[in-house]
Amino acid sequence: TAAADDEFDFFYFVQQWPGSFCDTDRGCCFPDTGKPAAEFGIHGLWPNYAKCRPTADDGPEAAASIDMVVDDDGSHHHRRRQKCWPEYCNNSNNLHPWEIKDLIKDLDANWPTLSCKGGGGGSSMEFWAYEWKKHGTCSGLGQHDYFAAALDLKRRDGGLAGILAAAGIVPSEDERYLLSGIRGAIANATGAIPNLECNRDAFGETQLYQVYQCVSRDGRTLVDCLLPMSGKCSGTVKLPPF
Ligand code: 5GP
Ligand code: 5GP
Protein backbone atom coordinates (compact mmCIF):
# COMPACT_ATOMS: atom_id res chain seq x y z
CA THR A 1 0.00 0.00 0.00
CA ALA A 2 1.22 3.48 -0.86
CA ALA A 3 0.35 5.12 2.44
CA ALA A 4 -1.30 4.32 5.72
CA ASP A 5 -4.83 5.56 6.32
CA ASP A 6 -3.74 7.78 9.18
CA GLU A 7 -1.04 9.61 7.29
CA PHE A 8 -2.93 12.55 5.86
CA ASP A 9 -3.66 15.87 7.60
CA PHE A 10 -6.89 17.17 6.04
CA PHE A 11 -9.22 16.69 3.08
CA TYR A 12 -9.77 18.91 0.10
CA PHE A 13 -13.46 18.76 -0.76
CA VAL A 14 -13.42 19.78 -4.42
CA GLN A 15 -16.42 20.93 -6.44
CA GLN A 16 -16.47 21.87 -10.12
CA TRP A 17 -18.56 24.50 -11.86
CA PRO A 18 -20.14 22.67 -14.84
CA GLY A 19 -20.26 25.83 -16.97
CA SER A 20 -16.47 26.06 -16.75
CA PHE A 21 -15.88 22.35 -17.36
CA CYS A 22 -18.06 22.41 -20.47
CA ASP A 23 -17.07 25.63 -22.27
CA THR A 24 -13.39 24.80 -22.81
CA ASP A 25 -12.24 23.72 -26.25
CA ARG A 26 -12.52 20.11 -25.08
CA GLY A 27 -16.22 20.37 -24.32
CA CYS A 28 -18.15 17.96 -22.10
CA CYS A 29 -20.79 15.24 -22.19
CA PHE A 30 -23.80 14.69 -19.97
CA PRO A 31 -24.26 11.45 -18.06
CA ASP A 32 -27.05 8.92 -18.65
CA THR A 33 -29.16 10.79 -16.08
CA GLY A 34 -29.27 13.90 -18.30
CA LYS A 35 -28.09 17.47 -17.95
CA PRO A 36 -26.99 18.12 -14.38
CA ALA A 37 -28.36 21.03 -12.37
CA ALA A 38 -26.77 24.47 -12.71
CA GLU A 39 -25.02 23.90 -9.40
CA PHE A 40 -21.48 23.01 -8.46
CA GLY A 41 -20.92 19.27 -8.70
CA ILE A 42 -18.62 17.18 -6.57
CA HIS A 43 -15.24 16.27 -8.06
CA GLY A 44 -13.81 14.51 -5.05
CA LEU A 45 -12.87 14.30 -1.39
CA TRP A 46 -9.10 14.18 -1.36
CA PRO A 47 -6.85 13.32 1.60
CA ASN A 48 -3.94 15.75 1.68
CA TYR A 49 -0.73 16.45 3.57
CA ALA A 50 -0.25 19.81 5.31
CA LYS A 51 3.27 19.81 3.96
CA CYS A 52 4.73 18.13 0.91
CA ARG A 53 7.24 15.44 1.80
CA PRO A 54 10.39 14.41 0.04
CA THR A 55 10.08 10.92 -1.32
CA ALA A 56 12.48 8.33 -2.67
CA ASP A 57 13.09 8.48 -6.40
CA ASP A 58 12.89 4.76 -6.83
CA GLY A 59 10.59 1.99 -5.85
CA PRO A 60 7.24 1.17 -7.41
CA GLU A 61 5.22 2.76 -4.62
CA ALA A 62 7.03 6.07 -4.72
CA ALA A 63 6.78 6.21 -8.50
CA ALA A 64 3.03 5.85 -8.34
CA SER A 65 2.60 8.72 -5.94
CA ILE A 66 4.94 11.44 -7.09
CA ASP A 67 2.83 14.51 -7.52
CA MET A 68 5.21 17.42 -7.61
CA VAL A 69 8.82 18.13 -8.43
CA VAL A 70 10.27 21.22 -6.77
CA ASP A 71 13.50 23.10 -7.08
CA ASP A 72 15.50 22.12 -4.05
CA ASP A 73 18.26 24.59 -4.65
CA GLY A 74 17.79 27.30 -7.25
CA SER A 75 21.48 27.85 -7.96
CA HIS A 76 22.17 24.21 -8.67
CA HIS A 77 18.79 23.39 -10.13
CA HIS A 78 18.74 20.39 -7.93
CA ARG A 79 15.37 18.73 -8.16
CA ARG A 80 13.84 16.69 -5.44
CA ARG A 81 10.68 14.65 -5.74
CA GLN A 82 7.84 15.64 -3.45
CA LYS A 83 4.70 13.87 -2.47
CA CYS A 84 1.91 16.24 -1.45
CA TRP A 85 -0.89 13.78 -0.88
CA PRO A 86 -1.39 10.02 -0.64
CA GLU A 87 -3.16 8.25 -3.48
CA TYR A 88 -4.08 4.73 -4.58
CA CYS A 89 -3.67 3.34 -1.06
CA ASN A 90 -5.26 -0.01 -1.89
CA ASN A 91 -5.65 -0.99 -5.52
CA SER A 92 -7.51 -4.18 -4.69
CA ASN A 93 -10.26 -2.18 -2.94
CA ASN A 94 -12.72 -1.67 -5.80
CA LEU A 95 -15.90 0.34 -5.34
CA HIS A 96 -18.85 -2.02 -4.97
CA PRO A 97 -22.07 -0.45 -6.30
CA TRP A 98 -24.16 -2.35 -3.77
CA GLU A 99 -22.31 -0.70 -0.88
CA ILE A 100 -23.55 2.72 -1.97
CA LYS A 101 -26.91 1.57 -3.31
CA ASP A 102 -28.94 3.89 -1.09
CA LEU A 103 -26.81 6.88 -2.15
CA ILE A 104 -26.92 6.44 -5.92
CA LYS A 105 -29.81 8.82 -6.60
CA ASP A 106 -28.18 11.45 -4.45
CA LEU A 107 -24.80 10.87 -6.07
CA ASP A 108 -26.27 11.07 -9.58
CA ALA A 109 -27.72 14.49 -8.70
CA ASN A 110 -24.68 15.84 -6.87
CA TRP A 111 -21.63 14.04 -8.27
CA PRO A 112 -22.38 13.76 -12.02
CA THR A 113 -19.67 13.02 -14.56
CA LEU A 114 -19.20 15.52 -17.37
CA SER A 115 -16.47 13.53 -19.07
CA CYS A 116 -16.86 12.37 -22.66
CA LYS A 117 -14.88 9.19 -22.08
CA GLY A 118 -16.66 6.26 -23.68
CA GLY A 119 -18.55 8.62 -25.98
CA GLY A 120 -20.56 10.31 -23.25
CA GLY A 121 -23.96 9.37 -21.91
CA GLY A 122 -22.23 7.06 -19.52
CA SER A 123 -22.76 6.29 -15.89
CA SER A 124 -21.22 8.51 -13.23
CA MET A 125 -20.39 5.30 -11.33
CA GLU A 126 -17.10 5.11 -13.25
CA PHE A 127 -16.14 8.59 -12.03
CA TRP A 128 -17.02 7.63 -8.42
CA ALA A 129 -15.10 4.37 -8.71
CA TYR A 130 -12.04 6.23 -10.00
CA GLU A 131 -12.20 8.80 -7.19
CA TRP A 132 -12.67 6.02 -4.64
CA LYS A 133 -9.61 4.12 -5.88
CA LYS A 134 -7.37 7.18 -6.16
CA HIS A 135 -8.43 9.15 -3.08
CA GLY A 136 -11.08 7.29 -1.09
CA THR A 137 -8.83 4.33 -0.33
CA CYS A 138 -6.51 6.74 1.52
CA SER A 139 -9.31 8.31 3.59
CA GLY A 140 -9.56 5.71 6.33
CA LEU A 141 -13.31 5.65 5.65
CA GLY A 142 -15.35 2.76 4.33
CA GLN A 143 -16.99 3.07 0.93
CA HIS A 144 -20.42 4.10 2.21
CA ASP A 145 -19.08 6.56 4.78
CA TYR A 146 -16.77 8.16 2.23
CA PHE A 147 -19.55 8.96 -0.25
CA ALA A 148 -22.02 9.92 2.48
CA ALA A 149 -19.45 12.35 3.92
CA ALA A 150 -19.02 14.04 0.55
CA LEU A 151 -22.78 14.38 0.06
CA ASP A 152 -23.18 15.82 3.57
CA LEU A 153 -20.45 18.37 2.91
CA LYS A 154 -22.09 19.46 -0.34
CA ARG A 155 -25.41 20.08 1.38
CA ARG A 156 -23.83 22.52 3.84
CA ASP A 157 -24.90 26.11 3.64
CA GLY A 158 -27.30 25.49 0.78
CA GLY A 159 -24.75 24.95 -1.97
CA LEU A 160 -22.04 27.14 -3.47
CA ALA A 161 -24.11 28.55 -6.35
CA GLY A 162 -26.64 29.90 -3.84
CA ILE A 163 -23.90 31.35 -1.65
CA LEU A 164 -22.40 33.17 -4.62
CA ALA A 165 -25.79 34.36 -5.91
CA ALA A 166 -26.58 35.85 -2.49
CA ALA A 167 -23.41 37.91 -2.87
CA GLY A 168 -24.43 39.08 -6.36
CA ILE A 169 -22.09 36.64 -8.10
CA VAL A 170 -24.32 35.04 -10.72
CA PRO A 171 -23.44 33.13 -13.91
CA SER A 172 -23.04 35.53 -16.80
CA GLU A 173 -21.71 35.58 -20.38
CA ASP A 174 -19.74 38.77 -19.91
CA GLU A 175 -19.53 39.78 -16.26
CA ARG A 176 -16.21 39.51 -14.42
CA TYR A 177 -15.98 39.01 -10.68
CA LEU A 178 -13.19 39.68 -8.22
CA LEU A 179 -11.60 36.44 -7.07
CA SER A 180 -11.35 37.98 -3.61
CA GLY A 181 -15.11 38.60 -3.70
CA ILE A 182 -15.78 34.96 -4.52
CA ARG A 183 -13.44 33.75 -1.81
CA GLY A 184 -14.94 36.21 0.69
CA ALA A 185 -18.53 35.23 -0.06
CA ILE A 186 -17.77 31.54 0.51
CA ALA A 187 -15.69 32.26 3.64
CA ASN A 188 -18.50 34.37 5.12
CA ALA A 189 -21.21 31.81 4.43
CA THR A 190 -19.27 28.70 5.46
CA GLY A 191 -16.97 30.12 8.15
CA ALA A 192 -13.88 28.79 6.36
CA ILE A 193 -11.59 30.22 3.67
CA PRO A 194 -11.53 28.11 0.48
CA ASN A 195 -8.96 27.83 -2.31
CA LEU A 196 -10.06 28.58 -5.86
CA GLU A 197 -8.88 27.16 -9.18
CA CYS A 198 -9.51 28.58 -12.64
CA ASN A 199 -9.36 27.29 -16.18
CA ARG A 200 -9.85 28.92 -19.57
CA ASP A 201 -12.82 28.93 -21.86
CA ALA A 202 -12.52 28.30 -25.62
CA PHE A 203 -11.63 31.98 -26.11
CA GLY A 204 -8.85 31.87 -23.54
CA GLU A 205 -10.79 33.80 -20.90
CA THR A 206 -10.08 32.92 -17.29
CA GLN A 207 -13.01 31.53 -15.33
CA LEU A 208 -13.74 29.97 -11.93
CA TYR A 209 -13.46 26.20 -12.36
CA GLN A 210 -13.16 24.53 -8.96
CA VAL A 211 -13.67 25.42 -5.31
CA TYR A 212 -11.48 23.58 -2.79
CA GLN A 213 -12.88 23.53 0.74
CA CYS A 214 -10.66 22.23 3.50
CA VAL A 215 -12.08 19.65 5.88
CA SER A 216 -10.53 18.18 9.01
CA ARG A 217 -9.75 14.47 9.22
CA ASP A 218 -13.18 13.74 10.69
CA GLY A 219 -14.63 14.44 7.24
CA ARG A 220 -17.20 16.95 8.50
CA THR A 221 -15.54 20.05 9.97
CA LEU A 222 -14.71 22.85 7.54
CA VAL A 223 -11.43 24.60 8.28
CA ASP A 224 -9.57 27.47 6.60
CA CYS A 225 -7.41 26.40 3.68
CA LEU A 226 -3.94 27.40 4.79
CA LEU A 227 -1.89 25.90 1.99
CA PRO A 228 -1.17 28.28 -0.84
CA MET A 229 -2.39 26.88 -4.14
CA SER A 230 -1.50 27.99 -7.61
CA GLY A 231 -5.08 28.42 -8.76
CA LYS A 232 -4.08 29.74 -12.19
CA CYS A 233 -5.92 33.02 -11.64
CA SER A 234 -5.90 36.35 -9.84
CA GLY A 235 -7.82 39.59 -10.11
CA THR A 236 -11.11 39.02 -11.87
CA VAL A 237 -12.66 35.92 -13.44
CA LYS A 238 -15.79 34.90 -15.27
CA LEU A 239 -18.51 32.55 -14.03
CA PRO A 240 -20.06 31.27 -17.26
CA PRO A 241 -23.68 30.07 -17.45
CA PHE A 242 -24.43 26.36 -17.59
P1 5GP B 1 -4.61 18.55 -12.02
O1 5GP B 1 -3.25 18.22 -12.52
O2 5GP B 1 -5.67 18.54 -13.05
O3 5GP B 1 -4.66 19.76 -11.12
O4 5GP B 1 -4.99 17.37 -11.03
C1 5GP B 1 -5.10 16.06 -11.49
C2 5GP B 1 -5.52 15.18 -10.35
O5 5GP B 1 -4.51 15.12 -9.35
C3 5GP B 1 -6.75 15.68 -9.58
O6 5GP B 1 -7.94 15.33 -10.18
C4 5GP B 1 -6.56 14.96 -8.28
O7 5GP B 1 -6.91 13.61 -8.39
C5 5GP B 1 -5.09 15.09 -8.07
N1 5GP B 1 -4.77 16.35 -7.38
C6 5GP B 1 -4.42 17.56 -7.94
N2 5GP B 1 -4.15 18.47 -7.00
C7 5GP B 1 -4.33 17.85 -5.81
C8 5GP B 1 -4.18 18.28 -4.46
O8 5GP B 1 -3.82 19.43 -4.15
N3 5GP B 1 -4.45 17.35 -3.50
C9 5GP B 1 -4.84 16.08 -3.80
N4 5GP B 1 -5.07 15.25 -2.78
N5 5GP B 1 -4.98 15.65 -5.05
C10 5GP B 1 -4.72 16.51 -6.05
P1 5GP C 1 -8.65 13.47 -11.11
O1 5GP C 1 -7.52 12.51 -11.33
O2 5GP C 1 -8.45 14.73 -11.89
O3 5GP C 1 -9.24 13.46 -9.76
O4 5GP C 1 -9.91 12.88 -11.88
C1 5GP C 1 -10.13 13.19 -13.18
C2 5GP C 1 -10.44 11.92 -13.88
O5 5GP C 1 -11.82 11.61 -13.71
C3 5GP C 1 -10.17 12.07 -15.33
O6 5GP C 1 -9.61 10.86 -15.79
C4 5GP C 1 -11.51 12.29 -15.92
O7 5GP C 1 -11.60 11.71 -17.20
C5 5GP C 1 -12.45 11.58 -14.97
N1 5GP C 1 -13.73 12.30 -14.88
C6 5GP C 1 -14.93 11.75 -15.13
N2 5GP C 1 -15.90 12.67 -14.99
C7 5GP C 1 -15.28 13.83 -14.65
C8 5GP C 1 -15.78 15.14 -14.38
O8 5GP C 1 -16.98 15.43 -14.43
N3 5GP C 1 -14.85 16.08 -14.05
C9 5GP C 1 -13.52 15.80 -13.98
N4 5GP C 1 -12.68 16.79 -13.65
N5 5GP C 1 -13.02 14.58 -14.25
C10 5GP C 1 -13.90 13.60 -14.57
Side-chain angles (χ1 to χ4, degrees), residues 16 21 26 29 42-44 46 87-88 111-117 124 126-128 130-131 134-135 209-210:
Q16 59 184 0
F21 186 91
R26 297 176 62 184
C29 295
I42 299 172
H43 181 163
W46 303 345
E87 61 183 35
Y88 297 111
W111 198 331
T113 179
L114 291 169
S115 159
C116 293
K117 270 195 199 143
S124 298
E126 281 175 38
F127 186 22
W128 312 331
Y130 171 91
E131 291 291 318
K134 182 168 183 179
H135 301 285
Y209 169 43
Q210 299 198 113

Side-chain angles (χ1 to χ4, degrees), residues 54-115:
T55 188
D57 282 12
D58 47 6
E61 285 165 11
S65 52
I66 286 158
D67 297 303
M68 211 173 88
V69 179
V70 294
D71 271 339
D72 204 15
D73 173 342
S75 58
H76 294 287
H77 302 290
H78 211 132
R79 285 159 99 74
R80 187 174 55 164
R81 289 167 186 271
Q82 299 262 305
K83 185 179 164 181
C84 303
W85 59 82
E87 61 183 35
Y88 297 111
C89 292
N90 182 353
N91 279 331
S92 61
N93 186 346
N94 291 307
L95 179 62
H96 300 135
W98 65 84
E99 296 223 29
I100 55 167
K101 207 170 171 225
D102 61 313
L103 302 176
I104 285 178
K105 258 187 88 168
D106 213 357
L107 287 167
D108 273 327
N110 292 291
W111 198 331
T113 179
L114 291 169
S115 159

Side-chain angles (χ1 to χ4, degrees), residues 172-230:
S172 161
E173 296 285 4
D174 39 43
E175 200 73 43
R176 282 178 178 72
Y177 300 104
L178 276 170
L179 211 55
S180 58
I182 295 172
R183 188 178 287 109
I186 296 170
N188 274 338
T190 64
I193 300 169
N195 280 339
L196 305 176
E197 180 185 3
C198 298
N199 68 357
R200 296 185 167 232
D201 70 16
F203 303 100
E205 301 254 28
T206 304
Q207 54 187 1
L208 178 65
Y209 169 43
Q210 299 198 113
V211 174
Y212 290 59
Q213 290 177 286
C214 292
V215 180
S216 61
R217 279 182 50 103
D218 67 12
R220 44 181 130 241
T221 311
L222 288 178
V223 296
D224 286 341
C225 292
L226 301 172
L227 269 188
M229 204 181 84
S230 120

Side-chain angles (χ1 to χ4, degrees), residues 122-144:
S123 161
S124 298
M125 184 72 75
E126 281 175 38
F127 186 22
W128 312 331
Y130 171 91
E131 291 291 318
W132 166 255
K133 202 66 128 359
K134 182 168 183 179
H135 301 285
T137 56
C138 303
S139 69
L141 298 171
Q143 299 188 357
H144 190 275

